[in-house]
């Protein structure tokens, strides 16, 4: 911890440090579909040693019920008004790894999937938003700040300030963290008005309206006291038309309140020296034997030839356009026909990509393995057993997969965008610097050339050794980011901080 920061904490009486409630649709290890869940799980753990009490409120999804029901304490229940309906919302409490998590229970809204899609998902999270706001005064915790995450919780500041005059909800400070601006929660205004009783005077281009829809993310940006996103580069990108998905102007208007704080990973969960999912343990000082065993075990599990010297290039990802699947589909044949390598994919998403990739696995039997689905253990085995992780993203707010990969000595090959730009330092053989590889334009040929360069480096053991050590020794723990969040929280409680709409 830097001395200057230690002084700041010491100056604050411990009881003056902000209390923070994180509101989120998912929270690892309870529920997770991607990076958002990882961050919501890791941030409170990293904040606690700094004296910032942080709790989480999240839906009581069935996947949580199945595993943790016996450890959950029932606190109380309320009835939440949602349009003409009067819906039960149970409030349960669970302590996981020392972090208190409040769970909003509703068999009706959180019975099956975390995200139901379409209007059903809108309903799920309108319910959650209302339940959070109505339950707040009854909780055994009075937060100074609520940190909302993405559109699923971004209506919280808007409703707090427009529908709870004089209540504690109105007085709390709100931070909106944007994990991915491509998902904004756009619905017909009549739907939103019906469910949340929104006054039509807010359905304007300054607040809620965007291209004839009510946009939840926009309302959050307009009403939060501060806005953060998950990497410095993405904080700049989302102010531009190319990356902002129509919210660039409002974000530029709020530029003074917008910051980018790089995500980190939970280095206990992702630790090749202790990981229970992998075939052998290893560290940056002694990785060769352990990583070789993990590679063999991965090849065996996936039915690939167990060849030590054939490089494995992997992907662990949602299968969407964002993640660069158009480039993969265009370039994979040429790569596999020219190079002797193995390609491993674990993911799920758009059916057009799933089908196309399954076809590649058939066509390049023995060279390509495709697993459709979500499998935490296999993901760890892939990071540990692979040589390279490919992330040719069209855009990437932060990206956690490349950070996890580096921790396991699996070198990232990325497109220079967002958090990938902020975390992957391209290899420079002259200086021995770098922890991965990068290409600039969203273009299949550039990606292909980059992969060929990477495979040349693979045949140079000294270069590979330096790269693997650089990657494994890089510090991507959440501690660094936690310090930046504490500074941001403290600034929010200073009187002059608020630049939000009234
Ligand atoms: P995003 O949040 O955009 O999906 P990130 O790189 O930020 O991407 O985070 C992805 C996280 O989800 C990583 O922890 C990655 O290992 C995990 N993940 C993605 N797809 C799968 C999958 N199919 N099975 C297991 N873990 C996955």
């Amino acid at each position: 911890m830097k001395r200057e920061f230690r002084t700041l904490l010491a100056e604050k009486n411990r009881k003056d440090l902000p209390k923070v409630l994180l509101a989120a649709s998912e929270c690892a290890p309870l529920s997770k579909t991607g990076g958002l869940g990882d961050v919501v799980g890791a941030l409170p753990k990293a904040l606690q040693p700094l004296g910032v009490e942080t709790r989480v409120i999240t839906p009581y999804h069935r996947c949580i019920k199945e595993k943790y029901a016996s450890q959950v304490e029932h606190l109380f229940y309320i009835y939440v008004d949602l349009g003409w309906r009067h819906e039960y919302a149970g409030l349960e409490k669970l302590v996981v790894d020392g972090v208190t998590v409040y769970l909003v229970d509703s068999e009706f809204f959180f019975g099956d999937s975390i995200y139901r899609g379409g209007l059903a998902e809108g309903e799920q999270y309108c319910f959650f938003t209302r339940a959070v706001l109505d339950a707040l005064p009854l909780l055994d915790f009075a937060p100074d700040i609520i940190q909302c995450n993405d559109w699923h919780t971004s209506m919280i500041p808007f409703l707090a300030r427009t529908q709870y005059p004089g209540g504690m909800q109105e007085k709390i400070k709100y931070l909106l963290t944007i994990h991915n601006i491509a998902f904004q929660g756009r619905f017909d205004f009549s739907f939103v008005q019906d469910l949340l009783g929104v006054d039509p005077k807010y359905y304007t281009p300054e607040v809620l309206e965007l291209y004839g829809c009510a946009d939840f993310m926009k309302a959050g940006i307009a009403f939060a006291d501060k806005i953060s996103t998950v990497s410095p580069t993405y904080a700049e990108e989302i102010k531009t038309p190319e990356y902002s998905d129509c919210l660039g102007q409002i974000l530029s208007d709020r530029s003074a309140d917008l910051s980018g704080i790089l995500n980190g990973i939970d280095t206990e969960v992702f630790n090749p020296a202790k990981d229970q999912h992998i075939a052998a343990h290893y560290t940056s000082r002694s990785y060769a034997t352990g990583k070789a065993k993990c590679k063999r075990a991965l090849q065996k599990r996936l039915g690939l030839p167990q060849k030590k010297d054939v490089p494995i290039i992997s992907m662990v990802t949602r299968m969407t356009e964002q993640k660069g699947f158009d480039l993969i589909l265009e370039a994979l044949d040429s790569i596999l026909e020219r190079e002797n390598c193995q390609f491993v994919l674990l993911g799920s998403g758009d059916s057009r990509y799933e089908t196309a990739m399954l076809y590649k696995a058939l066509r390049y039997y023995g060279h390509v393995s495709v697993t459709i689905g979500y499998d935490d253990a296999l993901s760890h085995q892939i990071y540990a057993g692979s040589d390279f992780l490919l992330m040719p993203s069209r855009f990437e707010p932060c990206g956690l997969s490349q950070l996890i990969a580096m921790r396991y000595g699996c070198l990232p090959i990325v497109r220079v965008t967002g958090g990938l730009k902020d975390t992957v330092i391209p290899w420079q053989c002259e200086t021995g610097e770098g922890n991965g590889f990068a290409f600039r334009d969203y273009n299949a040929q550039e990606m292909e050339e980059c992969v060929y360069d990477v495979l040349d480096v693979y045949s140079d053991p000294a270069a590979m050794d330096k790269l693997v050590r650089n990657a494994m020794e890089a510090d991507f723990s959440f501690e660094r980011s936690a310090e930046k969040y504490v500074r941001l929280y403290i600034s929010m409680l200073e009187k002059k901080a608020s630049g939000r709409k009234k």
Side-chain angles (χ1 to χ4, degrees):
M1 204 191 299
K2 282 201 214 102
R3 186 134 51 96
E4 183 206 336
F5 183 64
R6 239 180 282 144
T7 319
L8 175 75
L9 287 188
E11 272 170 15
K12 295 260 154 207
N13 203 324
R14 207 174 164 90
K15 70 175 178 18
D16 291 340
L17 283 170
K19 291 194 183 62
V20 181
L21 182 66
L22 272 155
S25 49
E26 52 182 282
C27 168
L30 306 177
S31 53
K32 170 179 158 183
T33 65
L36 169 63
D38 280 326
V39 173
V40 175
L43 181 58
K45 280 206 266 175
L47 287 168
Q48 234 134 33
L50 303 179
V52 176
E53 192 177 353
T54 313
R55 299 188 177 188
V56 177
I57 189 159
T58 192
Y60 195 6
H61 298 295
R62 179 157 302 159
C63 57
I64 308 178
K65 233 171 238 182
E66 280 165 0
K67 249 176 114 178
Y68 294 90
S70 63
Q71 298 166 45
V72 160
E73 177 195 346
H74 176 68
L75 295 180
F76 56 85
Y77 66 88
I78 52 177
Y79 277 88
V80 164
D81 288 328
L82 205 65
W84 55 268
R85 283 177 290 174
H86 205 51
E87 295 285 356
Y88 170 92
L91 260 292
E92 321 290 314
K93 186 170 163 181
L94 176 65
V95 180
V96 201
D97 299 335
V99 177
T100 300
V101 181
Y102 298 103
L103 299 162
V104 174
D105 186 22
S106 161
E107 272 296 312
F108 186 70
F109 290 105
F110 303 120
D112 41 31
S113 41
I114 298 177
Y115 304 112
R116 285 180 180 164
L119 290 181
E121 192 170 320
E123 268 202 335
Q124 276 182 297
Y125 287 94
C126 282
F127 166 78
F128 180 65
T129 294
R130 182 63 78 199
V132 170
L133 284 164
D134 286 357
L136 261 181
L138 305 172
L139 289 182
D140 53 353
F141 180 66
D144 303 297
I145 293 171
I146 297 189
Q147 182 170 352
C148 304
N149 295 278
D150 277 348
W151 76 260
H152 297 93
T153 48
S154 66
M155 287 294 271
I156 293 177
F158 168 73
L159 293 179
R161 298 244 154 97
T162 58
Q163 296 187 350
Y164 293 80
M168 69 176 288
Q169 297 90 337
E170 192 197 13
K171 293 182 193 117
I172 289 171
K173 299 283 180 192
Y174 291 93
L175 169 65
L176 171 64
T177 301
I178 300 173
H179 297 259
N180 194 338
I181 206 157
F183 304 103
Q184 296 179 4
R186 283 188 196 153
F187 302 98
D188 201 78
F189 180 63
S190 59
F191 171 78
V192 182
Q193 189 183 23
D194 180 35
L195 290 181
L196 294 174
V198 174
D199 189 327
K201 77 175 180 194
Y202 294 111
Y203 187 54
T204 64
E206 288 74 40
V207 182
L208 196 55
E209 191 269 338
L210 191 71
Y211 291 108
C213 286
D215 187 298
F216 282 21
M217 184 78 98
K218 187 171 183 180
I221 294 169
F223 274 79
D225 297 280
K226 293 270 179 188
I227 303 142
S228 71
T229 185
V230 289
S231 69
T233 296
Y234 196 59
E236 291 306 312
E237 286 174 345
I238 56 176
K239 286 186 260 176
T240 66
E242 191 188 345
Y243 286 92
S244 68
D245 218 343
C246 309
L247 292 179
Q249 190 54 53
I250 185 170
L251 282 164
S252 297
D253 294 346
R254 297 225 48 201
S255 200
D257 295 314
L258 170 65
S259 53
I261 302 178
L262 205 57
N263 282 337
I265 52 170
D266 187 327
T267 47
E268 281 302 300
V269 174
F270 300 107
N271 183 358
K274 289 189 186 152
D275 193 326
Q276 294 309 308
H277 297 304
I278 63 179
H281 293 147
Y282 58 94
T283 63
S284 64
R285 264 175 293 135
S286 167
Y287 66 85
T289 316
K291 223 175 141 48
K293 273 192 192 156
C294 291
K295 183 169 184 174
R296 214 166 33 248
L298 178 68
Q299 287 168 323
K300 186 166 179 219
R301 171 166 179 180
L302 299 177
L304 293 168
Q306 292 172 52
K307 291 187 180 157
K308 180 166 150 266
D309 296 326
V310 174
I312 302 183
I313 303 175
S314 295
M315 295 182 77
V316 178
T317 186
R318 288 185 291 115
M319 296 177 73
T320 61
E321 200 229 337
Q322 174 198 339
K323 300 293 181 179
F325 274 92
D326 295 327
L327 304 194
I328 304 286
L329 291 174
E330 204 178 321
L332 194 60
D333 289 1
S334 315
I335 294 172
L336 291 166
E337 272 151 33
R338 176 175 144 162
E339 300 283 347
N340 183 19
C341 63
Q342 295 176 350
F343 182 86
V344 167
L345 167 71
L346 166 63
S348 62
D350 292 359
S351 54
R352 64 190 158 127
Y353 296 133
E354 291 185 0
T355 312
M357 290 309 298
L358 285 168
Y359 173 71
K360 300 280 182 213
L362 281 180
R363 176 159 176 204
Y364 296 100
Y365 183 77
H367 286 274
V368 173
S369 155
V370 172
T371 309
I372 300 296
Y374 189 92
D375 187 331
D376 200 39
L378 179 56
S379 75
H380 287 232
Q381 289 153 14
I382 291 175
Y383 293 122
S386 306
D387 300 290
F388 304 103
L389 183 89
L390 185 56
M391 280 181 86
S393 305
R394 183 185 279 283
F395 63 93
E396 195 58 73
C398 176
L400 293 181
S401 296
Q402 85 278 14
L403 306 183
I404 303 168
M406 284 191 258
R407 178 118 173 100
Y408 285 81
C410 169
L411 304 172
I413 308 169
V414 304
R415 177 171 168 252
V416 179
T417 181
L420 298 176
K421 182 175 173 196
D422 295 336
T423 55
V424 177
I425 306 164
W427 169 244
Q428 302 215 347
C429 59
E430 303 80 23
T431 61
E433 284 170 295
N435 52 23
F437 305 88
F439 63 97
R440 193 154 286 280
D441 290 331
Y442 191 77
N443 173 310
Q445 223 161 353
E446 258 201 56
M447 184 191 82
E448 204 181 314
E449 292 302 327
C450 181
V451 169
Y452 298 146
D453 292 344
V454 170
L455 295 177
D456 280 347
V457 177
Y458 182 76
S459 55
D460 176 350
M464 282 299 289
D465 180 53
K466 183 80 178 101
L467 264 158
V468 170
R469 283 180 208 278
N470 288 352
M472 289 188 75
E473 283 163 11
D475 177 11
F476 292 116
S477 66
F478 231 111
E479 278 73 48
R480 288 171 331 146
S481 329
E483 189 181 308
K484 296 205 170 77
Y485 275 111
V486 175
R487 284 177 189 280
L488 178 58
Y489 298 147
I490 290 175
S491 79
M492 289 175 70
L493 298 185
E494 288 164 1
K495 288 223 159 43
K496 58 181 172 22
S498 174
R500 67 178 169 80
K501 290 190 184 300
K502 292 276 180 292

